Structures are given as structure tokens and as C-alpha cells.
Amino acid sequence: MSEKSKLLVTWLVVGVLLVVSAFAAIGALNRDVYGPGAFVGTYLSELAEKDAAAALAMPGVEISKTDLKAAGLPEGASGALLRNATLGSIEEITEIADEEVGDGVHEVTFSYEADGVYGESTFTVAPNGTRFPLIPTWKFEVSPVAVVNLSVEHATAFTVNGFDVDTRAVAPAEQKPAFDNIVNLQVFTPGHYTFETSTDLLESEQEKVLVDVPSDMHEAAVTAGPTEEFVEKAQEAVDAALDTCAEQVVLQPTGCPFGILIDDRVDGEPTWSMDDYPEITLEAGAESWLIPSTTGTAQIDVDVQSLFDGSITNYKDDVDFTMDGQIYLLSDGSMQALVTGEPVS
């Protein structure tokens, strides 16, 4: 073989090796940098960095009403929690499986720790064209957004991971505010979410939920109870209502738990005063906070004229009564007390 032929063969071999190396490099890039696992890893990194907007902007993340319905999720689920303020910590992110399930679709599984809680989630991704020749791009075939069906009992506000939410802001427009509420909330998968009610007047146990299944429904419930401050303010509202009753210059104040019947003729105006305010407790009812039956004492002071001899005497006596009622917590933080009851005979 001539020197020229040998040189040509050498260059051909080098060329083949370069092509093979190039394809190998592209294959490695497709697998490690531009593969489905890398795509999901980028999404998880955005959540770890608490960049909700960047995560939401990735192909296939944002979920439409049609997608919600197709997944069997409430179409009106609010996206108010898809923000930085509700994201917890995500650490130890590790790809543990990548399985092609047909038509180029991959199911990629990652493990992680969300606020210290270990979890695993499987994401479904599909080809989404190419960025450069032979470099694929990806999209979520199934959105990683999930929905939490949250029951909020005895309150119209709650917090999620410390972020304050009013149920009236996330409920469907046609849903009227109520003493008990159910709201559907879109959240990122994965995520560890702590729901609670914690205000000066209402508090609840924490409800912790690990959202680890994309496009699925997760359940949570928050049951609020009155704080000591709430009971104190409710007591003040009841005392004020009874004081208003005592201002009525009649023997039987209207809408009040105390009153008296006198056989003789009343001379002048009767005067009521509160001698012993009933001590209240609170329990949840169907539409308001209820005051279980309790007792108190009012005092009547009135001059009466005897029907027998016309003499006038002062009548002053304690009137014991039983009382129950309702407490309404109004939107401005004030309270309305409605009291009912009757004198103890």
C-alpha cells in the first residue's frame, strides 16, 4: 500500500472515531444533561430554590381547567398557593429510576426530603421537540401540580407554611362564606405543607401533608377552636348584651333572659342592674359559636302600689336566670352576642 493510501486510511479511521465520539458525547449529553431525568431535576431545583414562577413556567407544569377535569380534580381549584411564600425546603434530591414506557414517554422517579420528611415521586415526561439537532427537549406529560382538598371548620382563614389565606379569596365565586368551608388548592409536587389556623381568636392543631403524587387529590382538615382571648371577648360581648337588656325600663325586657311579673301596680319606672354575670363557655355549632346553658342574676328595683290599700313600697329583689346564646365573629374582628333564656322560677 502506498504512503498516500495509508494516509487516507488513517484519516478515515480518525474521522470514524471522531463521528463515533461525537455521537457518544451527544448520547451522554442527552442522558445526563438534556435527558428526562435532567429535565425533572431542573424542576425540582426550582422548587428547592423557592422559585415558583420558574417552576410554573416549565413545559407542562401549569394545569388548565380541562386538565384538572381530565384528572378527576375540581376545575375550580385555586392557584393561590403556587407562590414562593408557600414553598418549604426540598433537599437530598436524587434520581432513582428512569423507565421508558412507550412512544418516548418516560416515568422518572426522584427521592428527596421535604422539610425533613422523606418522599419519592414519579413524574411522567414526554418529548417536546429538539433544541439543537439531536438534542431533545421535554415536557411534563402529566402536570406535577396536585390539589389539596382542605376542610376549614369554624373559621374563614388559615395559614399554609406560614402564609395567610382567607377562604373567601380561594373559594369559587358562587360559594357563599360559611362557618365551615371546603376549598380546593393547587400545590406543587413534591411539597410538605402545614395547614393551621392561628390567630388571636382562633387556633387549631397543625395538619401536615406530604404531597408526593402529581395530578392527584390530597386531603387535609383544619378545625379551629376558640382561644382564651376569644372567650374573654365573647364574655365581654355577652356582658354588654345583658347591660343593654338592663337599660330597658320594663319588667320584662324584650329579647332578654330575665324578667319578672308583679301583681301590684308599678309606680314609676323599673330599674334593672346586673348582679352576677353568667360565666360562659363556647362550643362549635352549625353556623356560629354556641354558649351552653349557664346561669346569672339580675336585680330589679321598682316602686309598686298595692292594689289592696294603695300603699307604695319599694320592691327590690334578685332575679336568677338561665341563659344560652350564640356568638358571631364578624369580618372586622368584632363579635355579636345573641342571648336567650328565662328566669328561674
Side-chain angles (χ1 to χ4, degrees):
M1 180 181 295
S2 66
E3 290 299 322
K4 186 176 182 180
S5 297
K6 290 180 179 179
L7 185 60
L8 179 60
V9 169
T10 301
W11 280 111
L12 285 173
V13 171
V14 171
V16 169
L17 290 175
L18 288 173
V19 170
V20 170
S21 298
F23 275 98
I26 290 173
L29 284 172
N30 287 347
R31 181 183 67 251
D32 300 330
V33 180
Y34 300 112
F39 172 75
V40 176
T42 299
Y43 163 77
L44 294 174
S45 295
E46 301 293 6
L47 294 184
E49 293 173 6
K50 298 189 178 182
D51 192 339
L56 199 60
M58 292 186 67
V61 175
E62 191 167 1
I63 191 166
S64 66
K65 289 186 176 181
T66 301
D67 294 332
L68 287 167
K69 183 177 181 180
L73 301 173
E75 296 178 60
S78 171
L81 300 190
L82 301 176
R83 62 178 70 211
N84 298 348
T86 65
L87 297 179
S89 70
I90 300 179
E91 301 174 320
E92 305 298 330
I93 300 170
T94 305
E95 182 180 342
I96 58 177
D98 181 352
E99 180 182 359
E100 185 172 358
V101 294
D103 296 328
V105 176
H106 287 246
E107 290 184 348
V108 183
T109 303
F110 273 78
S111 65
Y112 48 83
E113 287 188 4
D115 290 330
V117 178
Y118 178 84
E120 295 181 5
S121 297
T122 299
F123 303 90
T124 304
V125 299
N128 191 37
T130 56
R131 181 181 291 105
F132 302 107
L134 304 180
I135 302 296
T137 59
W138 301 89
K139 67 177 180 180
F140 285 101
E141 184 76 355
V142 176
S143 171
V145 170
V147 172
V148 172
N149 181 59
L150 176 66
S151 170
V152 184
E153 299 185 15
H154 319 150
T156 57
F158 64 94
T159 64
V160 52
N161 290 353
F163 178 72
D164 295 329
V165 184
D166 191 316
T167 59
R168 292 164 291 190
V170 295
E174 66 274 9
Q175 181 174 310
K176 296 181 179 180
F179 191 56
D180 295 333
N181 302 272
I182 294 178
V183 291
N184 294 296
L185 306 161
Q186 296 180 36
V187 292
F188 289 110
T189 305
H192 189 257
Y193 298 90
T194 299
F195 298 90
E196 64 180 318
T197 293
S198 180
T199 68
D200 292 339
L201 302 180
L202 297 169
E203 61 185 2
S204 72
E205 298 289 336
Q206 292 185 338
E207 176 82 333
K208 298 179 180 292
V209 178
L210 176 64
V211 175
D212 56 357
V213 182
S215 289
D216 197 20
M217 180 76 84
H218 300 259
E219 302 291 335
V222 170
T223 301
T227 63
E228 290 185 6
E229 182 174 343
F230 189 177
V231 176
E232 291 173 1
K233 288 185 176 296
Q235 181 74 62
E236 293 173 1
V238 168
D239 293 353
L242 293 174
D243 288 341
T244 299
C245 284
E247 292 173 359
Q248 297 186 41
V249 288
V250 293
L251 294 179
Q252 297 184 40
T254 302
C256 300
F258 54 80
I260 193 171
L261 292 174
I262 296 178
D263 293 333
D264 290 325
R265 181 181 293 113
V266 173
D267 184 59
E269 295 181 340
T271 301
W272 286 99
S273 60
M274 289 303 304
D275 188 51
D276 183 22
Y277 291 99
E279 184 175 346
I280 70 164
T281 57
L282 294 174
E283 61 183 33
E287 297 181 349
S288 65
W289 293 99
L290 302 181
I291 303 170
S293 183
T294 183
T295 59
T297 303
Q299 188 176 82
I300 181 70
D301 188 347
V302 63
D303 291 334
V304 296
Q305 184 178 33
S306 171
L307 297 177
F308 176 69
D309 60 10
S311 62
I312 296 176
T313 58
N314 178 255
Y315 180 85
K316 190 173 186 178
D317 197 12
D318 290 338
V319 177
D320 297 328
F321 61 90
T322 61
M323 187 205 78
D324 53 28
Q326 296 170 285
I327 296 290
Y328 291 93
L329 182 58
L330 305 181
S331 58
D332 62 359
S334 63
M335 296 182 191
Q336 180 182 12
L338 300 180
V339 295
T340 58
E342 59 185 10
V344 177
S345 57

